[in-house]
Amino acid sequence: MQGISVTSVSPPPGRLGGLDTLRGLAAVAVLLCHVAAYWAFMDLPGKLPQLFDLMAQGVDIFIVISGFVLFYPVLRSGGHLDARQFFGRRTFRILPAYYVGLAIAAALALNPSTARYVVAEPANWGQVLIHVLGVQTWFPGSLGSINGSLWSVSLELHLYLVFPPLVLAWRRWGIVPVLVVSAILALVWNLMAGGPSYGDYGLAVGGGHALPARFVQFVAGMACAYWVVRRGVPPLRGSVVLATASVLAAVTASSTDQSAPIRHLAWAAAGVGLVLLTSSLARSREYPPMTERFGERAYSFYLLHQPIVLLLAPLAGRLDGWVTQLVIGSIGAFTLTSIAAALMYRWVELPTHRLGRRLFPRPSRTATGAGPVPFPSD
């Protein structure tokens, strides 16, 4: 990782700067949450456990960012999406690194000598197959069997499948109806939570990790992209106010044990506020490239962080006092994960990204012979 430069980053045409940085910060927040959660020997005092629990909402921010970055180029191209190009590009974007991270986690979870450090009990090949197929969010009983953090990749894959129909729905009815329907779907889905599970691997309906529960956060990211394309990035002062208010509301919803739909909706709003704030910051001042470069590695960082945190637990437990364990241990976990992520990004993500862009160069495009389509009336 190179040093900080004072020159600003010029994002590719049509791309808003700062979102990679936000993604990177969200990944670090999730790492810190897992440090506090898995290193129970620290016995954190006061409200620190609750504070670190809130950092798990970094995943909610990921989902909002995904909705934004997928829909933004579609809007700029006039509202047209080539589904074949889109699926091809996303396949090369997410699956190669996912399967490498899964292979590492599965090797640890299947081996009895290492499984005791990373999972509650050694995994089996049925659980591995569920993760290979990317359907672990529909099998809550298997979520922690390999690497519990990989559930969000399963969700991401399912969001990709519904994205082209969402674009068609937007073109037909507009973004507001789509957003309202997504919120209703999340509510209905969460009302089914707590029902029976089926089979050896815990197939269940109503789980908070599955697509219907988080659909509203993805569509909120799409709505944010729509706003930016129609109205532009808001001024910095307005973005600060919006982000502060929405994050405080989301923290309040989480801290007061509101229902899952309320929490998911609150964090969707917080994600929108943070996306707008980050974009405003990137446009209003010089942006340090180092943070963007780290953010580019956030996917690899996220895939690899949990096994590293768990494997470091015995070493961190030997340190004296929770302050030393938390500070030194977190620095160690962050450093090792960053190194591993840099290697995966260099040797797995970058080559497959380039191949995907070469094979599928135009996932979003203006229809041949037509100008940009008018936005639906919302």
Side-chain angles (χ1 to χ4, degrees), residues 297-367:
R297 296 159 173 76
Y299 181 47
S300 289
F301 185 97
Y302 181 82
L303 290 173
L304 299 171
H305 82 275
Q306 184 166 312
I308 291 173
V309 167
L310 291 166
L311 291 172
L312 282 179
L315 294 176
R318 296 182 181 181
L319 300 173
D320 292 328
W322 69 266
V323 175
T324 304
Q325 292 167 345
L326 178 61
V327 174
I328 302 301
S330 297
I331 292 173
F334 172 81
T335 302
L336 289 177
T337 306
S338 296
I339 293 171
L343 293 173
M344 183 172 329
Y345 181 77
R346 171 65 181 84
W347 298 108
V348 179
E349 285 200 76
L350 268 183
T352 54
H353 291 184
R354 290 167 179 163
L355 179 59
R357 286 193 293 266
R358 191 159 58 246
L359 294 176
F360 305 97
R362 293 181 299 276
S364 54
R365 56 177 177 77
T366 301

Side-chain angles (χ1 to χ4, degrees), residues 125-171:
W125 287 104
Q127 292 163 333
V128 173
L129 178 61
I130 286 173
H131 284 74
V132 168
L133 297 176
V135 294
Q136 59 266 37
T137 52
W138 295 92
F139 294 86
S142 298
L143 283 181
S145 61
I146 307 291
N147 176 347
S149 296
L150 298 183
W151 72 267
S152 64
V153 183
S154 171
L155 173 62
E156 189 86 0
L157 293 172
H158 302 159
L159 289 169
Y160 294 164
L161 292 176
V162 301
F163 181 62
L166 278 174
V167 173
L168 292 177
W170 161 74
R171 286 171 60 86

